[in-house]
Amino acid sequence: MASSASQSLPSDNLIHVFWDEGMLKHDTGRGVFDTGIDPGFLDVLEKHPENSDRIKNMLSILKRGPISPFISWYQGRPALISELLSFHTQEYVNELIEADRNGGKELCGGTFLNPGSWNTALLAAGSTLSAMKHIIDGHGKITYALVRPPGHHAQPTQADGYCFLNNAGLAVQLALDGGCRKVVVLDIDVHYGNGTAEGFYHSDKVLTISLHMNHGSWGPSHPQGGTVEELGEGEGFGYNLNIPLPNGTGDKGYGYAMQHLVVPAIEKFEPDMMVLVVGHDSSAFDPNGRQCLTMEGYREIGRTIRGMANKYSNGRLLIVQEGGYHVTYSAYCLHATLEGVLNVSEPLLSDPIAYYPEDESFPTKVIEAIKDHFLKMIS
């Protein structure tokens, strides 16, 4: 059901949020950062970074922050097993079901399927599918799937990086099956959206763009490097654009990449559906990233992607939550991102810790080199 507080606002300037309280029940445990290890000599073990506190603050800032009048709330739902097979293989889904039946399993480094995790993953996937269907059915133009666990690292055949099911990938496939001709996926999480890229690596109907720190492969669960050489294969060649940004890239560097790489790629592709895969671990204060975005940087990204949606997809935009592990600042950055998407004239919320010095000269040189490479390879 939609909330009554926002009913007087125009439907094209509301953000329709899909959420279910059950997504708080994925308990990722404690240990040394994300390892789950207790070495025996530490008095205080920290929560796994992908914990429910981060989402609780995102939820509360949307309900009680200045943006709340612009939010309309909808009930999420669990995905059906049959729906998962549009992106994932039956063998992989069976592996997850078996792990849940046996009481849980560490599927790869830092990625724990614990009791309750499978049901939570189904809720995240189903809520994202519902958010996309809401757009396809004409009930709203901008939807936001406030979901956990995240999904963009999950590949068709394996888990990776805290992700079990690829929420965004499932929604993209639903859009294609629902009549969309071409879909853009812009992923601004600090880590490469390898799972989504893998799922559409041979398709010319999906343009996947990922801005991420230059972290490379991190093992068997994440064999992709996120390099500029990974451009897609077959019919999909030229439809996977990786933009690995140097550590420390901030608002100006991301803005330069958006204007000189992302916007021209979207303009050339001319999509009729837009998906923003948003991770706030690219902020200046996140423990799981090494980039320097502030609220203003996220606000500008949101504003830019809204402009592209208005121009090419009749304003239709799905936003899917991924990372963001600073328990308080991630919520502020989400608020700023959605302010940008709403294209508000003045910031609704000030940045409590914003100032961070940025030297954009090196990122600018890297972005120009990436641009030259793309022009050489796919023009």
Side-chain angles (χ1 to χ4, degrees), residues 44-107:
V44 180
L45 294 175
E46 60 191 311
K47 288 183 178 180
H48 188 290
E50 205 294 280
N51 62 71
S52 61
D53 290 347
R54 53 185 284 271
I55 295 296
K56 287 178 182 177
N57 274 346
M58 292 180 183
L59 179 67
S60 63
I61 205 168
L62 297 187
K63 287 190 171 183
R64 304 199 302 274
I67 204 169
S68 61
F70 297 90
I71 302 297
S72 182
W73 292 93
Y74 294 83
Q75 180 64 44
R77 65 164 179 92
L80 302 174
I81 297 300
S82 58
E83 292 178 305
L84 305 180
L85 303 181
S86 68
F87 187 90
H88 296 287
T89 64
Q90 182 71 66
E91 292 76 15
Y92 173 56
V93 172
N94 289 346
E95 178 188 348
L96 295 175
I97 293 171
E98 184 67 17
D100 176 60
R101 185 180 296 127
N102 292 333
K105 179 181 180 181
E106 183 177 5
L107 296 167

Side-chain angles (χ1 to χ4, degrees), residues 10 18 29 53 57 62-63 66 76 78 84 115 121 126 144 153 159 189 202 246 282 289 305 319 341 364 366:
F18 284 75
D53 290 347
N57 274 346
L62 297 187
K63 287 190 171 183
L84 305 180
Y144 168 50
H153 295 311
D189 190 279
H202 295 84
S282 40
I305 204 71
I319 306 161
V341 169
T364 297
V366 170

Side-chain angles (χ1 to χ4, degrees), residues 135 155 269 310:
I135 297 175
Q155 295 142 73
F269 188 64
N310 286 346

Side-chain angles (χ1 to χ4, degrees), residues 338-352:
L338 299 186
E339 287 178 41
V341 169
L342 289 167
N343 204 24
V344 296
S345 57
E346 297 291 336
L348 300 177
L349 190 63
S350 61
D351 195 321

Side-chain angles (χ1 to χ4, degrees), residues 236-256:
F237 183 79
Y239 294 93
N240 186 68
L241 301 183
N242 291 332
I243 305 172
L245 298 171
N247 289 1
T249 301
D251 295 350
K252 294 178 182 178
Y254 270 82
Y256 194 86

